[in-house]
Amino acid sequence: QVQVVESGGGLVQPGGSLRLSCAASGSIFSINFMGWRRQAPGNQRELVAGISDSGSTNYADSVKGRFAISRDNAKNTVYLQMNSLKPEDTAVYYCQMDVARDDGRIDVYWGQGTQVTVSS
């Protein structure tokens, strides 16, 4: 089994920054895709940022230029650096780990969610 634990959320003023972390542990051969999704009240869960095992990244248009995703494969950890935060960034953020087992099967795991609130 795989466990995924997030941290780093909190309350920040508009224009501020936060850094989210998400670490996976357990039976992991490799993690092909790591990403962050968020869900605000009344909204669907949307992809914020993703990073492949090759380092290719993609971002939602709303966060381009402000957020940066990175990964540390040695720690099975993905990060989301969030700068110039806006009130509309307020949401619960969930990390996604596409975990490859040693038999090649891919299982998707999710973090428990961490609240990010941007407010003055």
Side-chain angles (χ1 to χ4, degrees):
Q1 62 176 353
V2 173
Q3 297 78 43
V4 181
V5 179
E6 303 178 26
S7 63
L11 175 64
V12 65
Q13 293 185 337
S17 298
L18 285 173
R19 182 177 172 87
L20 306 183
S21 299
C22 179
S25 61
S27 182
I28 298 170
F29 182 76
S30 64
I31 304 177
N32 298 121
F33 175 85
M34 299 180 180
W36 291 92
R37 296 180 185 263
R38 68 186 181 188
Q39 187 166 22
N43 290 2
Q44 293 185 317
R45 189 175 298 186
E46 65 172 341
L47 179 67
V48 177
I51 184 167
S52 72
D53 54 2
S54 68
S56 297
T57 59
N58 68 93
Y59 298 92
D61 288 342
S62 60
V63 307
K64 286 181 179 177
R66 300 188 297 119
F67 290 11
I69 188 170
S70 60
R71 60 190 285 168
D72 184 338
N73 291 328
K75 297 181 178 180
N76 289 325
T77 299
V78 62
Y79 305 94
L80 186 67
Q81 179 66 46
M82 304 184 293
N83 299 321
S84 301
L85 283 162
K86 303 175 180 180
E88 50 262 46
D89 295 318
T90 296
V92 178
Y93 285 70
Y94 301 89
C95 70
Q96 175 185 343
M97 300 282 198
D98 293 4
V99 176
R101 310 193 314 184
D102 56 9
D103 63 0
R105 184 172 182 174
I106 305 296
D107 293 316
V108 179
Y109 293 88
W110 298 89
Q112 80 280 9
T114 185
Q115 176 71 47
V116 172
T117 302
V118 184
S119 177
S120 59

